[in-house]
Amino acid sequence: MGILNKQDDPFGSGNIIITGVDTLLNWSRLSSLWMMGFGLACCAIEMMAASASHYDIGRFGVIPRPSPRQSDMMLISGTVTLKMATRTKILYEQMPDPKYIISMGSCSNCGGPYWEHGYHVLKGVDRIIPVDVYVPGCPPRPEALLEGLMKLQDKVRRQSIARTAV
Amino acid sequence: MTNQEIFDTLKATYGGAIGSFHEQGGSAYMKRTSSYADIVEYSQIAQICQYLRDEPTLEFDNLNCLSCDDNGDKTLSVIYHMESLKFKHHFAFKVTVPIDHPVVPTVTRVWASANWHEREGWDMIGIQFHGHPDLRRILLDDDWEGHPLRKDYKEPEFYRGMKVGY
Ligand code: SF4
């Protein structure tokens, strides 16, 4: 809901837009999913390609942030080693709510090529943090990542701050 | 100098400490970079390396690689690859130690670049480089148990509460 400037009021008569709190909140959340800027393995290269001008992830309002305190979304882009898993969990806990996770690539979905002999790899990042969207591929193309991002936006769009009956 | 000539020079100086010469076949490049000598007396590694670096006709001023290996017959090996930037010749040698007493003198005082290679050898294979200034794990976490590239390594079931298996 907002009051428009009378002089350049595009609606002619009224100067008030009416909307729902949920709609407004969801719209603002889904259009500015600031991303925790870190990459874990080869998938990070595709993530960088998606952020560069050709695929331009910025047009979805995704801005890489250098700090978990400023991020809304964490993109797990690559192999989560057990050593990194402990750090990833801390980073996740440092993010303010609401927070979302996209798991990108086979490695973070389920261990990927390291599923059998990867003594040092966590077989799926969902063993330590809750994942919202899984993007399959090794590595997923930037288009697939953008598709995953749009899936996350759909999910955010359907959220409500009202407590629903169980 | 060819690898054979380098080996002969070394043999003339160190005699019994040097074992046999293994010439690798294939291309001239393979011959030059992959032929290696066995070192029998591994307690003399540091002196031999010092000699290889300082002898005016050899001048091996660059340690290309220091790698470690589990031979599967209760012995471990350390392989040193070196090159002279001035003379453009290469040489490699290999020492083999028993698995129940894997102690090899460090060569960090000869080539500072050996520092991290030796830490990796300790981390992955568990060779103890005697006299190393800072022999900590380099890739795995400090509280990791065992040396994962040994043939008899069993991967842990849990690491810090995270399940390791698939
Ligand atoms: S899923 Fe494939 S491309 Fe992505 S981090 Fe794993 S191995 Fe690399």
Side-chain angles (χ1 to χ4, degrees):
Chain A
M1 192 169 82
I3 297 174
L4 301 172
N5 186 341
K6 194 102 197 173
Q7 260 119 42
D8 45 45
D9 175 5
F11 299 105
S13 48
N15 63 356
I16 289 178
I17 294 176
I18 296 173
T19 176
V21 178
D22 269 348
T23 321
L24 180 68
L25 271 182
N26 290 347
W27 169 74
S28 52
R29 277 178 186 167
L30 71 87
S31 333
S32 63
L33 284 168
W34 288 5
M35 173 176 87
M36 169 79 211
F38 79 138
L40 295 188
C42 12
C43 272
I45 304 293
E46 292 299 291
M47 177 194 75
M48 290 170 217
S51 329
S53 54
H54 199 85
Y55 292 96
D56 191 16
I57 207 170
R59 67 201 147 119
F60 296 94
V62 177
I63 305 173
R65 303 305 301 171
S67 156
R69 310 270 185 211
Q70 301 173 351
S71 321
D72 307 300
M73 185 254 284
M74 192 188 231
L75 187 62
I76 310 288
S77 51
T79 320
V80 188
T81 58
L82 290 167
K83 189 176 180 179
M84 191 62 199
T86 54
R87 278 76 170 165
T88 308
K89 191 155 182 245
I90 292 172
L91 287 172
Y92 175 74
E93 284 160 0
Q94 285 176 338
M95 282 166 67
D97 278 327
K99 46 193 171 186
Y100 307 98
I101 307 273
I102 297 182
S103 160
M104 179 187 185
S106 314
C107 280
S108 59
N109 292 347
C110 63
Y114 310 101
W115 72 277
E116 192 174 8
H117 299 295
Y119 58 88
H120 62 302
V121 175
L122 185 70
K123 313 297 184 310
V125 74
D126 50 6
R127 289 185 181 183
I128 50 163
I129 49 178
V131 173
D132 293 286
V133 176
Y134 297 86
V135 182
C138 179
R141 282 192 55 85
E143 294 95 324
L145 180 58
L146 296 183
E147 172 77 20
L149 182 68
M150 286 188 280
K151 280 267 177 293
L152 179 61
Q153 291 185 326
D154 285 344
K155 183 170 178 173
V156 177
R157 195 175 281 122
R158 291 198 307 271
Q159 284 187 152
S160 171
I161 54 168
R163 204 174 282 172
T164 46
V166 196
Chain B
M1 267 206 224
T2 66
N3 292 49
Q4 184 69 53
E5 284 163 1
I6 295 166
F7 175 75
D8 293 340
T9 318
L10 201 57
K11 185 96 184 161
T13 319
Y14 281 95
I18 315 291
S20 50
F21 182 60
H22 302 262
E23 173 123 67
Q24 301 291 316
S27 61
Y29 179 77
M30 282 294 286
K31 260 201 185 84
R32 194 157 57 88
T33 56
S34 305
S35 302
Y36 68 95
D38 282 324
I39 305 283
V40 184
E41 239 0 285
Y42 52 81
S43 54
Q44 289 195 38
I45 285 291
Q47 289 99 295
I48 293 173
C49 289
Q50 188 84 43
Y51 169 78
L52 285 166
R53 192 193 70 182
D54 292 343
E55 169 68 28
T57 56
L58 299 174
E59 275 201 42
F60 283 105
D61 46 7
N62 185 22
L63 180 74
N64 293 28
C65 189
L66 186 158
S67 39
C68 301
D69 202 4
D70 184 342
N71 302 315
D73 57 356
K74 299 263 173 259
T75 56
L76 308 175
S77 293
V78 189
I79 301 115
Y80 302 77
H81 280 88
M82 63 208 73
E83 127 181 77
S84 163
L85 296 175
K86 187 172 166 194
F87 297 119
K88 303 269 182 280
H89 54 213
H90 294 245
F91 195 60
F93 62 81
K94 179 172 177 174
V95 293
T96 302
V97 291
I99 201 165
D100 41 13
H101 186 64
V103 183
V104 175
T106 179
V107 294
T108 44
R109 284 176 200 86
V110 185
W111 298 290
S113 64
N115 190 319
W116 284 16
H117 286 301
E118 291 186 348
R119 280 177 65 188
E120 190 186 355
W122 160 245
D123 193 359
M124 292 291 140
I125 298 274
I127 308 254
Q128 295 159 21
F129 289 95
H130 185 71
H132 190 285
D134 181 27
L135 197 62
R136 285 177 296 135
R137 287 187 183 275
I138 191 169
L139 293 167
L140 294 165
D141 237 341
D142 291 335
D143 60 354
W144 195 272
E145 280 170 22
H147 303 285
L149 294 193
R150 286 218 183 157
K151 302 262 193 237
D152 58 358
Y153 180 73
K154 295 266 178 302
E155 70 174 35
E157 202 174 340
F158 287 93
Y159 174 73
R160 292 200 196 175
M162 293 175 283
K163 187 163 172 275
V164 177
Y166 181 65

